[in-house]
Amino acid sequence: MPIDPYILLLLGTVGLAALFPASGTAADVASGATTAAIAFLFFLYGARLSTREAVEGLKHWRLHGTVLVCTFVVFPLLGLAARGLEPVLLTHDLYTGLLFLTLVPSTIQSSIAFTSIARGNVPAAICAGSFSSLAGIVVTPLLAAALLGNSGGGFSPDALVRIVLQLLVPFVAGQLLRPWIGAFITRHKKVLGHVDRGSILLVVYTAFSEGMVQGIWHRVSAVQLAGLLVVEALLLGVMLLLTWYGAKALRFGREDRIAIQFAGSKKSLASGLPMAGVLFGAHASLAVLPLMLFHQMQLMVCAVIAKRRARDPEATGPSGPAGPDRLSGTGGTTGTGGSSGTGGPAGAGGTAGSARSRVSPAATSRIAVGTGTRSG
């Protein structure tokens, strides 16, 4: 079961913020740098997204619609149902973070990796993750406004304005400039991937520094954190079952069901952390904690499921294993970018590939356990 090295970097950043929190002038500088970093991050997301390939991927609309419903309807409904656990298992702050977790978009890179390992419809997973991340830029703030209100500790309708200025405007600017800078972004994707990850680490440091200065962590005990882990394990288990058996009830083929399960049951750390920083401000530390824990949990559980799916009797035929070269013809017709180094909307800058394109499970398995936000 993979331990994402980037999670270790995130935990190290949390420890750094606990030992040396930014305060006073340093906090102002860190806050300004974080604002600029988030804007630049979403500018890169927009510059990487190939609009033409994304539109072509809409041909498999039933699958993508199913993933979007799981991500932005079923997940939030389960989050609202968990309100009954407050304050028995969850404090108000932890529940707010859990509800926010259910509102963020799906991953891209880890969905691709696990779908390929399980011998599913990889192009469909690429498109579904990309559409989810793109929709999340608008849908997540709107859902947060409707479901969280002012209970997010600093969240207000003004946050929607900040979202537009800090996330949506840079994203649109990246899209408009893509014809001129797209080739440069592709050539330097590795270096820019480090910029992505550095920006997110800065968001985490600033959020947890503000949390330390505000004394937020004194309101959470080890027992409450254990309760949060139990609730998140149940949430992940329910979504894995719903996406698999629900897709079967909708008469999707095996390859499509695999793509739906992995794209519809996960949440993106790379998209969620910057959004939380904009929406929650000083209260972002507790708001992102459930997302950070859920991210690692989903990697570990889905890695086991993917390997078992690859050994399913349905995955084999007269000519051997049904590898990625035998992907369902009903899958998306283009790959909108497994090459990006981040798990947010950035994943849509790659080369197009047909539904029968070969994707090596061994190669994509390295994405799931690799560094950075490659695992979403």
Side-chain angles (χ1 to χ4, degrees), residues 107-110 267-271 295 298 342-344 373-376:
T107 66
I108 297 178
Q109 294 295 349
S110 58
K267 291 294 183 176
S268 173
L269 188 71
S271 295
H295 173 80
Q298 71 187 9
T342 182
T373 53
R374 286 185 176 274
S375 49

Side-chain angles (χ1 to χ4, degrees), residues 18-146:
L19 294 174
F20 305 102
S23 60
T25 303
D28 294 336
V29 172
S31 178
T34 298
T35 299
I38 292 174
F40 183 62
L41 186 66
F42 277 80
F43 173 80
L44 290 179
Y45 288 170
R48 290 184 181 123
L49 176 64
S50 172
T51 306
R52 178 182 60 81
E53 293 171 1
V55 171
E56 290 178 358
L58 286 172
K59 293 177 181 178
H60 199 9
W61 62 270
R62 283 186 67 241
L63 186 147
H64 304 318
T66 301
V67 172
L68 290 175
V69 168
C70 290
T71 303
F72 296 117
V73 178
V74 180
F75 250 119
L77 288 176
L78 291 175
L80 290 173
R83 189 184 298 273
L85 301 176
E86 179 191 350
V88 179
L89 283 180
L90 302 174
T91 66
H92 175 72
D93 291 327
L94 289 179
Y95 170 72
T96 298
L98 179 71
L99 183 56
F100 173 73
L101 149 71
T102 66
L103 308 181
V104 302
S106 178
T107 66
I108 297 178
Q109 294 295 349
S110 58
S111 296
I112 298 168
F114 291 134
T115 298
S116 179
I117 293 170
R119 307 184 187 279
N121 192 333
V122 176
I126 294 171
C127 293
S130 299
F131 295 149
S132 176
S133 296
L134 180 60
I137 297 177
V138 176
V139 175
T140 297
L142 292 177
L143 287 175

Side-chain angles (χ1 to χ4, degrees), residues 194-243:
H194 293 303
V195 174
D196 290 352
R197 296 189 288 273
S199 299
I200 293 173
L201 290 175
L202 182 58
V203 171
V204 171
Y205 175 76
T206 303
F208 278 85
S209 289
E210 292 176 345
M212 290 297 297
V213 172
Q214 297 284 338
I216 288 177
W217 286 102
H218 296 296
R219 303 203 297 264
V220 181
S221 67
V223 174
Q224 291 166 338
L225 287 177
L228 173 63
L229 287 173
V230 171
V231 173
E232 290 194 333
L234 291 173
L235 176 64
L236 179 60
V238 169
M239 285 306 302
L240 286 170
L241 291 173
L242 284 177
T243 50

